[in-house]
Amino acid sequence: WVDSVDALEALYEGLADVDEGAIDTEADSFYSYREKICLIQVSAKGKDWLVDPLAGFSIDKIGELLADPSKCKLFHDGEYDFLLFQRQYGFVMENIYDTRAAEATLGSEAPGLGTVIAERFGIELDKSLQRSDWGKRPLSEKQIAYARLDTRFLSELRSAQVPELERRGLLPVLEGEHRRLEAIRTTWPEFNPEGWGKLKGARTLSTQDRCAARELFIVRDGIARERDQACFRIF
């Protein structure tokens, strides 16, 4: 459990001699107006670290790790993680490997982590806490176990995938996707008052009701922002 600068420094030093490590995040997009990273999981050398960015200390060492080209960072479907790291901290990525992108490149029609781990290693992952409130403290034992397993098997998964990719000549395809992900640069999206048109059934409303829907859409966003709640929770 990493909840201080000293503990994070120890984690960073513990990874000094490793070539790769697995990383994942848990956010609170189902609960907060503007989602934030609530937990960062790191696995390497048979060890797991859970970094608590809500504990009020600098996580710049995580940024240094992500940007270190000498270490391969393993993610599974990491694009959302990259967006959050960029928006919240301005962190950039160098030398990544995405096991979901690799599985999709190999032709898998169901490259989700739970399915892939079950098919390749016969291990069933409990994904029931995917929408858990990760912003609450303390985390439950079930949440902690769930979080650790999200990164635990990525190194083994990569070791199984790379020979297949090389044999089928697909490694350059995957590397192209990795370069795209590493190049992501983004900021927080601005509220679009015209987004009401994406509401289910909005386009079938009368002209007057469309105007009302637009105004309600704007009011809802204001309430959600003030309460720091996800918009869909405001009815």
Side-chain angles (χ1 to χ4, degrees):
W1 185 253
V2 179
D3 59 359
S4 69
V5 170
D6 290 343
L8 185 59
E9 184 68 38
L11 183 162
Y12 191 78
E13 291 175 0
L15 298 178
D17 61 346
V18 303
D19 296 324
E20 68 176 34
I23 299 178
D24 189 32
T25 67
E26 303 298 342
D28 60 354
S29 59
F30 288 94
Y31 299 90
S32 297
Y33 177 79
R34 178 169 283 178
E35 67 265 41
K36 60 185 176 295
I37 296 175
C38 299
L39 193 69
I40 303 168
Q41 304 100 290
V42 181
S43 292
K45 301 194 301 185
K47 289 185 64 175
D48 307 312
W49 292 267
L50 299 181
V51 182
D52 182 9
L54 304 184
F57 66 102
S58 170
I59 63 164
D60 285 350
K61 283 294 181 182
I62 295 292
E64 293 179 32
L65 176 66
L66 296 173
D68 186 346
S70 71
K71 300 184 189 302
C72 182
K73 277 70 67 174
L74 312 181
F75 289 85
H76 191 89
D77 200 7
E79 186 161 356
Y80 181 61
D81 305 290
F82 304 161
L83 291 173
L84 287 180
F85 276 129
Q86 266 276 300
R87 289 169 177 169
Q88 198 169 340
Y89 300 105
F91 293 164
V92 297
M93 309 286 164
E94 290 285 345
N95 190 7
I96 65 156
Y97 181 96
D98 192 307
T99 50
R100 185 190 189 282
E103 205 68 22
T105 301
L106 288 167
S108 172
E109 295 182 0
L113 184 61
T115 302
V116 172
I117 296 302
E119 290 178 350
R120 285 190 176 269
F121 305 128
I123 297 171
E124 296 290 336
L125 298 184
D126 177 9
K127 305 303 289 181
S128 63
L129 295 181
Q130 220 159 11
R131 298 185 179 184
S132 177
D133 187 353
W134 293 98
K136 283 188 174 181
R137 293 295 182 272
L139 296 177
S140 68
E141 289 300 319
K142 194 172 182 181
Q143 283 177 305
I144 290 172
Y146 171 97
R148 293 177 67 181
L149 291 176
D150 265 358
T151 49
R152 172 68 62 82
F153 302 106
L154 297 192
S155 183
E156 293 174 66
L157 184 54
R158 183 196 187 207
S159 295
Q161 290 171 338
V162 169
E164 294 180 34
L165 291 160
E166 290 177 335
R167 186 171 62 251
R168 295 167 57 181
L170 293 173
L171 209 49
V173 177
L174 179 61
E175 288 172 350
E177 173 63 3
H178 289 159
R179 301 298 83 78
R180 181 190 73 81
L181 293 170
E182 290 170 351
I184 286 176
R185 300 292 182 271
T186 185
T187 55
W188 292 109
E190 294 295 324
F191 170 67
N192 177 14
E194 305 309 323
W196 69 273
K198 295 181 180 178
L199 298 174
K200 186 177 181 180
R203 297 298 181 183
T204 66
L205 297 174
S206 68
T207 300
Q208 183 177 350
D209 286 347
R210 284 171 138 191
C211 293
R214 182 180 188 276
E215 294 308 310
L216 283 169
F217 185 73
I218 294 170
V219 169
R220 182 183 70 164
D221 182 80
I223 294 172
R225 187 189 296 263
E226 183 180 342
R227 295 183 183 176
D228 190 22
Q229 287 185 294
C231 280
F232 75 88
R233 292 183 176 274
I234 308 299
F235 178 72

